[in-house]
Structure formats: structure tokens, C-alpha cells
Amino acid sequence: MSNPSGAPSRAALAINWLALARLFRRARGGEAALKLALAYHNVFDIRNEDVQIVLADLADYTGFYRVNGEGIPPDDRAFSDGKRAAFGRLFRFLNLTDEEKAALVQAARTEAIASSNEGII
């Protein structure tokens, strides 16, 4: 079964999830770390406009470029710190140039302004 674009539908695709633990049955070392870094780089190829949109949205949603102010309850602080840490893991694998980092910061700020003015999608 195909979707309108001609590609197989998600339901028609059998997904065989791979994990590094399966790919590298021995202790995971440098080869596994390189494979993981390349996988992140391939999935989040920043030359792709959709990837840029998703990364800017995630940076905004996780508050990656925002800091908690004083008076934030500990549970709220821990929750927002956790969201930032998850995006930080992704960000670590992106290996962006300074110009690309600056563009991502600007895009995330633009998303934050739009979200506060118009509401989150």
C-alpha cells in the first residue's frame, strides 16, 4: 500500500529496530560511538529544511537557550533541566559550526516569540 507520494505507507513497512547493543555485541567502544554520531548526523542533516524547522522547534520547546529564574519550584526546575538535557544530547551530536549555532539560536528565539504571541501549535 502506498501513500499519495508513492512511497510505501508506514503500516506497510516492517521496522526492524536496531540498537548499538545488537550491532556491537562486544563492549561498546570507539567504533560504536562513531556509528552513533554518524547516525545522529544522518538523521539530523541540517542542510534539510525540515530538519532545521524541527531543531528550532525542539530548541524552543525544551528551553535549551533559556535559564530558569529564581523562585522556580524544585520540581519545575528539574523538569525543565531534563528537557534541556535531552536536547543537549542531540545538540552534542550535531557538530555545528559557529554560524550554524548562531542561526539555530536565532530560529529558536523566533519560535519562542511566535509561541508566546500566538500560542503553541
Side-chain angles (χ1 to χ4, degrees):
M1 179 183 342
S2 294
N3 63 28
S5 71
S9 68
R10 288 183 75 170
L13 295 175
I15 297 176
N16 183 17
W17 292 101
L18 292 176
L20 284 175
R22 237 174 93 202
L23 292 173
F24 299 91
R25 300 217 183 267
R26 64 196 183 313
R28 293 185 348 187
E31 189 179 359
L34 178 61
K35 177 72 175 171
L36 181 61
L38 289 172
Y40 269 91
H41 181 74
N42 290 335
V43 170
F44 294 98
D45 181 354
I46 62 158
R47 294 169 298 190
N48 181 303
E49 183 179 76
D50 290 339
V51 170
Q52 294 173 15
I53 292 168
V54 167
L55 288 174
D57 176 67
L58 283 173
D60 171 44
Y61 176 76
T62 62
F64 189 67
Y65 296 107
R66 289 190 299 271
V67 229
N68 290 328
E70 291 186 28
I72 302 293
D75 288 348
D76 292 345
R77 181 178 299 276
F79 181 72
S80 57
D81 287 349
K83 288 194 317 184
R84 279 193 298 277
F87 186 81
R89 178 170 174 79
L90 167 61
F91 187 80
R92 179 176 69 117
F93 287 108
L94 294 178
N95 197 23
L96 302 176
T97 66
D98 289 341
E99 293 80 20
E100 292 164 340
K101 288 175 187 175
L104 177 57
V105 170
Q106 185 56 47
R109 287 182 179 155
T110 302
E111 286 300 310
I113 291 167
S115 293
S116 67
N117 291 338
E118 300 168 17
I120 296 174
I121 297 174

